[in-house]
Amino acid sequence: MLNISPRPRRSCLYMPASNMRALEKAKSLPADTIIFDLEDAVAPDAKEEARANACDAVRSGEYGKRELVVRINGMETPWFAEDLSQACLSGADAVLVPKILNAGDIGRISSLLDEHDKDAKTSLWAMIEMPLAIVNLGAIAATGPDTRLTSFVMGFNDLAKEMHAEHDRTIFAPVMTQAVIAARAYGLNIIDSVYNDFNDPDGLERECREAGKLGFDGKSLIHPAQIETANRIFAPQPEAIGEAQAIIAAFKDPVNAGKGVLVVDGKMTELLHYRQAKQLVATAEAIAALAK
């Protein structure tokens, strides 16, 4: 089993980089990740200004411990190359690239990141929102160990449009399961798609719980009012943390040295569960560190 980053990504909030008030507000919001958006939320004549705003924001050092990601414009657009270059130079934690189609896209973007970011600070997040990306999920995820790819972000708004389908989340259930399996097989994080109605907290909670049950790390968000729900639901729960700590303690006990299977609190527990327990506790500790 490949290791997944324990860095919390419960709440990944899109903020339009053309809106300076939004960028300022983001400095005080309790989101784990801020995604400065240069794509959907920005009109064509504001693209260059938004790019400059996003890069200045990343360089400012005023966002505390939040993870800072820049969603750049797609590979087929005239803004892609400069977006990618400037995001790297700004020191962004990651670039989120829309409309990924196949493993070759990941290879090409990763090579460009290597050219612009010699210190390998900036990772690659891939938007999974096109039918071809769904067809190629396994191959795309398989590039992770050898490229900058670290995360999938689902985009069901665009996927529904490309499918000529209604935006009914139930039709994406097989895709969600398939995407989580592909991500976990190759050590990637995976973030759920946005919930469009920010005035419907109950609907948001249902989607967060559904995604958490499937194994998603968090949810992408479009409004600050959605942060609390995502942070609460995607955080490890106290009971689960207690169980994980008991598993870790049992495997570390010298009496159990070299054993691959133990009975912990009446349950058969294997090394797989030990690794999962360490992952969960590491995530809980990282969440606690964000609050300090």
Side-chain angles (χ1 to χ4, degrees):
M1 183 180 73
L2 297 172
N3 291 325
I4 310 297
S5 170
R7 183 167 191 165
R9 295 185 175 94
R10 301 165 296 170
S11 51
C12 300
L13 179 65
Y14 288 108
M15 298 298 269
S18 55
N19 185 333
M20 291 301 295
R21 289 181 62 188
L23 300 190
E24 185 65 27
K25 184 177 179 65
K27 297 175 183 178
S28 62
L29 296 174
D32 292 340
T33 302
I34 301 296
I35 303 175
F36 300 112
D37 192 8
L38 309 184
E39 195 214 10
D40 284 347
V42 179
D45 60 358
K47 295 288 190 183
E48 294 186 7
E49 179 183 2
R51 178 197 300 142
N53 292 344
C55 293
D56 286 345
V58 172
R59 283 191 290 263
S60 72
E62 297 177 352
Y63 290 82
K65 298 176 182 178
R66 297 167 188 80
E67 185 175 31
L68 303 181
V69 177
V70 179
R71 178 162 74 168
I72 65 176
N73 290 283
M75 297 177 71
E76 78 288 354
T77 71
W79 306 287
F80 167 76
E82 193 66 15
D83 284 354
L84 184 74
S85 171
Q86 293 303 312
C88 284
L89 293 174
S90 74
D93 293 304
V95 291
L96 172 57
V97 182
K99 297 178 174 56
I100 294 297
L101 298 178
N102 52 50
D105 287 349
I106 300 299
R108 286 188 288 276
I109 296 167
S110 191
S111 294
L112 290 171
L113 287 170
D114 290 342
E115 291 178 17
H116 295 300
D117 175 29
K118 302 298 184 183
D119 296 328
K121 173 179 173 55
T122 302
S123 62
L124 170 59
W125 291 19
M127 287 292 303
I128 303 300
E129 57 185 345
M130 302 294 285
L132 268 177
I134 305 305
V135 172
N136 295 318
L137 266 173
I140 294 170
T143 66
D146 300 313
T147 68
R148 298 283 187 105
L149 180 65
T150 62
S151 302
F152 281 169
V153 180
M154 306 308 293
F156 293 139
N157 286 336
D158 278 330
L159 184 57
K161 180 177 67 176
E162 294 291 332
M163 291 169 59
H164 301 175
E166 294 183 13
H167 196 302
D168 179 348
R169 186 170 169 92
T170 61
I171 69 175
F172 298 121
V175 171
M176 294 173 70
T177 301
Q178 183 183 0
V180 172
I181 291 171
R184 296 313 188 208
Y186 294 100
L188 305 180
N189 291 99
I190 182 165
I191 308 301
D192 191 20
S193 184
V194 299
Y195 184 67
N196 295 318
D197 187 353
F198 56 81
N199 289 314
D200 178 16
D202 292 338
L204 173 66
E205 179 146 348
R206 283 194 300 272
E207 285 202 1
C208 287
R209 292 196 181 281
E210 176 190 40
K213 185 176 181 179
L214 285 171
F216 282 83
D217 296 294
K219 193 162 184 67
S220 50
L221 310 173
I222 59 171
H223 194 279
Q226 299 176 319
I227 296 172
E228 186 279 331
T229 298
N231 281 352
R232 171 169 47 84
I233 292 174
F234 286 101
Q237 300 305 301
E239 181 179 352
I241 295 172
E243 292 176 355
Q245 290 171 332
I247 291 170
I248 293 169
F251 273 95
K252 286 186 174 181
D253 190 329
V255 174
N256 296 321
K259 295 181 180 178
V261 180
L262 303 176
V263 177
V264 182
D265 293 333
K267 299 177 182 178
M268 295 298 295
T269 307
E270 303 177 4
L271 288 172
L272 168 65
H273 303 112
Y274 176 47
R275 290 192 291 267
Q276 291 173 336
K278 291 197 294 182
Q279 177 83 31
L280 187 146
V281 169
T283 300
E285 291 173 346
I287 290 171
L290 286 178
K292 293 181 180 178

